[in-house]
Amino acid sequence: MGKNVRKGTAVRAAVVVAVLLGAAGCGTGDGGTDDAEKRDGTSAASSATPRAEDTGPVTKASAQADIEASAADAGAPANDPDVAEMTAARCEAGYRGYGTEDEKVGLERYEAVLGELRERGWQPSFEVPERRDGNGTVQIAHKYFTKRGWTLSAEFQGFETGLISVSAADKACTDEIRDRIPLPLRSALSAGGADGQQP
């Protein structure tokens, strides 16, 4: 019983953090703004992101460029324009690509996106056990990566036409937001491992 209560508290605390992330919009080293291109079509355009000499601090713009270029080079669907609007004032970068009836998104496309992210310096840090259906087909996969102070979450959902979702957050920014949370909720977050390393 106590374990379930702690888990429920951690979930509620994580929701509070998500709400605060949406409202805070703290800086990330590039003014907190992104001119994320809104693209139409079923596939992301080919990437021109350079691979050489990836050093220095990660900014919101560079994280977004990594994510979108990885999706494009993996042949994943274009980013949902609403995601770019939602993250414009936040301390995070994001992508969400939906499959269609004509071009469904499968696990292999998700794995290709992860491979592209690794090529751009994102290091695996944690993996949630896959969830499979009765036939053994993976329906949900979720992995975490880090890169110079940023944490990235990449998820695949195989339901219907498929979905790939990627979000990256600046740890310094999220820590600043966490410090604004009342101590009891912050303690629940720590107990629940909601720092992006271990859900």
Side-chain angles (χ1 to χ4, degrees):
M1 177 71 178
K3 184 175 181 182
N4 288 336
V5 170
R6 285 196 302 273
K7 183 176 180 183
T9 304
V11 169
R12 286 192 297 275
V15 171
V16 170
V17 170
V19 171
L20 289 173
L21 278 172
C26 55
T28 58
D30 61 352
T33 59
D34 249 9
D35 292 327
E37 183 181 350
K38 295 180 182 179
R39 296 176 301 202
D40 294 323
T42 58
S43 294
S46 180
S47 163
T49 301
R51 304 283 181 91
E53 219 38 54
D54 181 13
T55 59
V58 176
T59 65
K60 178 175 176 174
S62 69
Q64 186 69 42
D66 278 354
I67 293 169
E68 292 208 15
S70 294
D73 287 355
N79 193 8
D80 180 349
D82 290 340
V83 172
E85 290 181 10
M86 285 190 307
T87 59
R90 300 181 185 180
C91 51
E92 60 185 286
Y95 162 87
R96 188 171 296 140
Y98 298 94
T100 65
E101 288 295 339
D102 294 330
E103 192 173 347
K104 295 185 179 181
V105 172
L107 184 66
E108 70 286 343
R109 189 72 61 202
Y110 168 75
E111 294 290 352
V113 171
L114 300 188
E116 293 291 338
L117 287 166
R118 285 191 291 269
E119 286 191 26
R120 289 172 172 82
W122 292 90
Q123 299 297 316
S125 64
F126 183 76
E127 180 175 343
V128 178
E130 293 176 342
R131 294 171 65 180
R132 299 172 180 266
D133 63 17
N135 297 320
T137 303
V138 174
Q139 292 298 316
I140 298 178
H142 199 166
K143 298 181 181 180
Y144 289 88
F145 296 79
T146 59
K147 181 176 178 180
R148 299 197 294 279
W150 280 66
T151 298
L152 181 146
S153 166
E155 183 176 11
F156 165 74
Q157 294 183 18
F159 309 107
E160 298 179 351
T161 58
L163 162 68
I164 298 172
S165 177
V166 181
S167 62
D170 178 2
K171 188 175 185 304
C173 182
T174 55
D175 283 351
E176 178 185 329
I177 293 169
R178 184 176 300 209
D179 288 343
R180 301 177 198 169
I181 299 172
L183 187 57
L185 286 178
R186 207 180 320 153
S187 298
L189 278 174
S190 297
D195 59 357
Q197 299 300 317
Q198 184 172 325

